[in-house]
Amino acid sequence: MKTILDSTDMQMAIDKMAKEIVEEAGSLDSLVLVGIRTRGVPLAQRIAGRIRESKKKEVPVGTLDINLYRDDLSRLDYHPIIGKTEIPCPVDEKTVFLVDDVLYTGRTIRCAMDALFDLGRPDSIKLAVLVDREGRELPIQGDVVGIHHPAGRGENVKVNLAETDEKDEVIVE
Amino acid sequence: MQLARKDLLGIESLSKKEIELILETAKTFQEISTREVKKVPTLRGKTVINLFFEDSTRTRTSFEIAGKRLSADVINISQKGSSVAKGETLLDTAKNIEAMGPDLIVCRHWAAGVPHFLASRLKASIINAGDGAHEHPTQALLDLMTIREAKGKIAGLNVSIVGDISHSRVARSNIHALNKMGARVTVAGPATMIPAEIEKMGVKVSTDLRKGIASADVIMMLRIQRERLTMSPFPTLREYSQLYGLNKEALKGAKPDVVIMHPGPVNRGVEIDPEVADGPYSLILDQVTNGVAIRMAVLYLLSGPKGKAAL
Amino acid sequence: MRLIIKNGHLIDPKNRRNGRFDLLIEEGKVRDILKAGHTVASADVIDAKGCIVSPGFIDLHVHLREPGYEYKETIRSGTLAAAAGGFTSVCCMANTNPVNDNASITEYILKKAKEEGTVNVFPIGALSRGLAGKELSPMGELKKAGCVGFSDDGKTVQNSRLMRLALEYAKTFDAPVISHAICSDLAHGGVMHEGFVATKLGLPGIPSAAEDIIISRDIRLAETTGARLHIAHLSTAEGVELVQKAKKKGIRVTAEATPHHFTLTDETVEAHPPGTAAKPSQDGASPYDTNTKIMPPLRSEKDRRAIVEGLATGVIDAIATDHAPHALVDKEIEFDSAAFGIVGLETALSLSLQLVEKKKLTMKKMVELLTINPARIVGLKKGGLEPGASADVVIFNPSLSCKIDPAKFYSKSKNTPFGGMKVKGVVKYTIVGGKVIYQV
């Protein structure tokens, strides 16, 4: 087990991500952050917090459960328990920033995009991830990336967050 | 927690945990029905056959909408009459349908036990959409969901089920469901419509409507199946309506915050007065809405491949 | 042609024998009963070591289905099943197609039985013409053709006047009237015993009262007419009481009970005894198995106990199977629509032996219920092994374990709720008229 980000590193990475998201988004009025369950949700909230501090602006944060859109449902032993999808405003004509903890194969993001399209027609969808571990199986890239950490197939890159896992860290197992 | 079963045949064999799982899942599915695009791709490529041996526009439509919102292919097959009349065994019928490769079969039948018959002989998951006077599990689940929404809880509530208990699968499923969730159930109706030894199912029995609903938090009215009764167990609809019909007058003795439910279709003016059916305490339309969410949840949870492997 | 059955334990209640005897058979008849250990020159020998040797069993109540329903059973397959079950004589009910309500049908059945049957067949004639419950059947003609009793079995004579006429008229021929006692108005579409299980399963119930009312009526009519009444497949505790009281009063009434009624209860409709469900569901139980749909229905535990008690005390005179073969097309359908009845010839002995094992009956009593008592009810000169008697014999090992396997039944139909059940008791030889017709 190896720690690749500790709590302070993570703070810095999130700060950096928040800054870049503001730049990428252009207008803050049309920006919506949508966290992908589970750990994308607290990440999106933290980013929204940073933007609030720096820009004095409240950015809406939504929650997306992508399980209903997974392409591997028929391979699972049981269908997963579904969490709530809640986005506080219509996504039509918005710049939606999807937020997730780890970007790996890209399949989750594909699901998330499908899910978003069922909810409306955003002007653009962008992607922010804390860790890009490489190993993509689909043509999907992060627009805002906390850190790049190329990891092997057998490795598990795990993001722990204070909100869900008691402490902030990114580890590789 | 998983729904580790191939079929949903009745509430009786479900655990409280399984019921909670279905209710929780249904809650998340409610949101889908409020979207502009009311569809998710979850059951794409799955085939659901609505196999109905008895007319039921309401339940069939509810399952059909549920399946379609999950992107399943939903096919309706109606069959009338008994196997005997056709000279074909029920198994023949079932095998023919199985040969079409359905993943789930939603079965409604006028005879109790047919879903069990199919479940033990077919690979597809069987969902009981009402079998004779036995069970109607998705109705009880949607009723639980509706009660919980209205009252914030189920445990500790007094629920009165009023009407033809003998012929009611809704009553039986709800008795099992409410008992498992910790509610107290009273059944009320003419003595001729109360089946033998029903007390052993864990209910109180009353043949007096007013006494039967006096302490109720929830009243479930049952439909009088006029078409089903030969040598009617009550003299006239008029007398039934006077003694057991729910109207404003009868409700005077009930709790002020009582809510009224009915599985539909309502015989207005017979078992329930229009004023009551359309009144503020009526949850009848919420039941219909929740029916779709419950059926989506059940289709979703039963279509995982594990259940089938277990057979 | 001499045959000696050696080393067995002979039980012959009619002749009060219960011990180690050898049985010598000659020219199809019992020649002698010898103390064990005798040697008899130039005879075939059957070694019955470890076995009970008994008069062949007599079943008062079977449905051979021929003529008319040969897809369910034929006289050939039904009598083979009887032989495999240790029965050497069966009484076959009249609900064939055409109904056995005239001499030509009786003669047809007897002719078929002679040509193709393996055990003795004694037809029961219809009580009413066409079993319609309206007009008396020609009992005199039927009796002359070979019928040994009269019954509308499968249907109940609902009209009390007709029942009275039948009893009065049958008296002339000293033949019993056999009552299948169910009041159809009360049974009203019922498919199982009325009670908690039926309520839970949502199946229409048949109250015990539906049976008791007709039993009462028929006993009262038997008293009025002085005729002989036999109650078929008694299933209720109250019914047992009614028969007991009637017997005490000296009314000429007898009764039979079936192995399924003294073995199973209505709970079987909801869940089979472990290991016996043909198609267990995910909960292990197999509710709504149409092989638990029987008329009269499987009753409550209280009723079951009363039946066992009635057999032990002699209130109930005979064990009869009500062997009711039905094909898949009659049974692999909705419970409500399925035919009533199960096959019983090939499971009767092992189920009866369970009562012996549980010390509810003595072996002697069980043999009595299966031999001399039923013989007397229908007036057969059978059921005993005295010198000169027809050599109808069954040899069975009461302690050999086996599993009931419907696939191996000789009956054409496999409709039984007992498949897979572990039981004891194996028929080794069945001998009819001195001839071994069945042997393991």
Side-chain angles (χ1 to χ4, degrees), chain C residues 86-109:
Chain C
F87 291 90
T88 55
S89 296
V90 296
C91 300
C92 60
M93 287 298 170
N95 57 346
T96 47
N97 186 16
V99 169
N100 183 16
D101 62 359
N102 62 74
S104 64
I105 302 299
T106 310
E107 282 157 10
Y108 173 84
I109 292 168

Side-chain angles (χ1 to χ4, degrees), chain C residues 312-329:
Chain C
T313 57
V315 173
I316 301 171
D317 305 87
I319 293 172
T321 64
D322 193 5
H323 178 79
H326 287 297
L328 284 183
V329 70

Side-chain angles (χ1 to χ4, degrees), chain C residues 358-415:
Chain C
K358 288 178 192 145
K359 304 219 182 312
K360 303 288 180 192
L361 296 181
T362 62
M363 188 71 84
K364 176 178 161 272
K365 183 70 190 174
M366 182 198 84
V367 170
E368 190 185 313
L369 290 162
L370 283 163
T371 59
I372 181 59
N373 287 5
R376 282 183 179 140
I377 289 168
V378 285
L380 303 182
K381 291 192 184 68
K382 290 187 172 295
L385 293 171
E386 64 279 0
S390 173
D392 294 352
V393 184
V394 56
I395 303 171
F396 63 92
N397 184 327
S399 45
L400 208 58
S401 296
C402 64
K403 204 173 187 179
I404 295 174
D405 180 2
K408 292 190 179 139
F409 283 175
Y410 284 83
S411 172
K412 261 193 167 180
S413 295
K414 318 295 174 194
N415 51 314

Side-chain angles (χ1 to χ4, degrees), chain A residues 107-126:
Chain A
R107 286 179 193 270
T108 300
I109 306 306
R110 198 277 304 164
C111 297
M113 288 194 287
D114 282 353
L116 270 183
F117 283 125
D118 280 353
L119 297 172
R121 187 180 182 279
D123 269 355
S124 63
I125 300 178
K126 292 176 181 292

Side-chain angles (χ1 to χ4, degrees), chain C residues 59-226:
Chain C
D59 193 342
L60 289 175
H61 198 146
V62 306
H63 298 269
L64 293 177
R65 303 292 186 215
E66 192 175 352
Y69 304 102
E70 287 85 354
Y71 71 100
K72 299 179 193 237
E73 192 83 286
T74 60
I75 288 173
R76 182 179 158 71
S77 64
T79 55
L80 271 173
F87 291 90
T88 55
S89 296
V90 296
C91 300
C92 60
M93 287 298 170
N95 57 346
T96 47
N97 186 16
V99 169
N100 183 16
D101 62 359
N102 62 74
S104 64
I105 302 299
T106 310
E107 282 157 10
Y108 173 84
I109 292 168
L110 288 172
K111 181 168 165 278
K112 269 272 182 176
K114 206 170 168 193
E115 287 167 7
E116 297 176 10
T118 46
V119 306
N120 307 305
V121 173
F122 298 98
I124 305 288
L127 184 154
S128 70
R129 243 181 272 164
L131 304 181
K134 297 210 166 81
E135 307 282 345
L136 285 181
S137 67
M139 292 185 187
E141 172 190 321
L142 288 165
K143 172 82 186 191
K144 207 172 148 206
C147 288
V148 297
F150 301 100
S151 178
D152 275 3
D153 184 68
K155 291 181 173 176
T156 306
V157 179
Q158 302 294 333
N159 186 311
S160 305
R161 178 159 177 268
L162 181 72
M163 190 63 178
R164 181 209 165 129
L165 292 175
L167 283 159
E168 260 171 347
Y169 194 65
K171 214 177 134 186
T172 319
F173 311 105
D174 195 34
V177 167
I178 302 170
S179 171
H180 164 108
I182 292 286
C183 169
S184 60
D185 285 335
L186 256 185
H188 184 63
V191 295
M192 71 172 292
H193 175 61
E194 180 177 288
F196 176 57
V197 180
T199 289
K200 208 162 66 155
L201 293 178
L203 291 172
I206 303 167
S208 298
E211 188 167 342
D212 306 334
I213 283 172
I214 300 292
I215 294 176
S216 292
R217 178 197 73 175
D218 291 351
I219 285 175
R220 191 67 190 80
L221 290 173
E223 186 179 19
T224 305
T225 57

Side-chain angles (χ1 to χ4, degrees), chain A residues 64 67-70 73-86 92 110 114-115 117-120, chain B residues 1-4 21 25 27-29 31-32 35 37 39-43 46 70 300-301 303-307:
Chain A
L64 197 61
N67 274 314
L68 293 173
Y69 294 83
R70 282 168 70 158
L73 277 176
S74 58
R75 297 184 184 191
L76 303 176
D77 277 356
Y78 294 108
H79 279 174
I81 293 175
I82 306 296
K84 264 219 158 119
T85 290
E86 273 173 318
D92 296 312
R110 198 277 304 164
D114 282 353
F117 283 125
D118 280 353
L119 297 172
Chain B
M1 181 64 212
Q2 307 292 353
L3 199 61
L21 172 67
T25 306
K27 229 165 133 184
T28 65
F29 278 130
E31 179 262 336
I32 294 167
R35 294 179 187 177
V37 179
K39 204 180 190 69
V40 290
T42 317
L43 297 188
K46 301 266 187 202
L70 292 169
Y300 171 76
L301 291 168
S303 58
K306 187 70 169 195

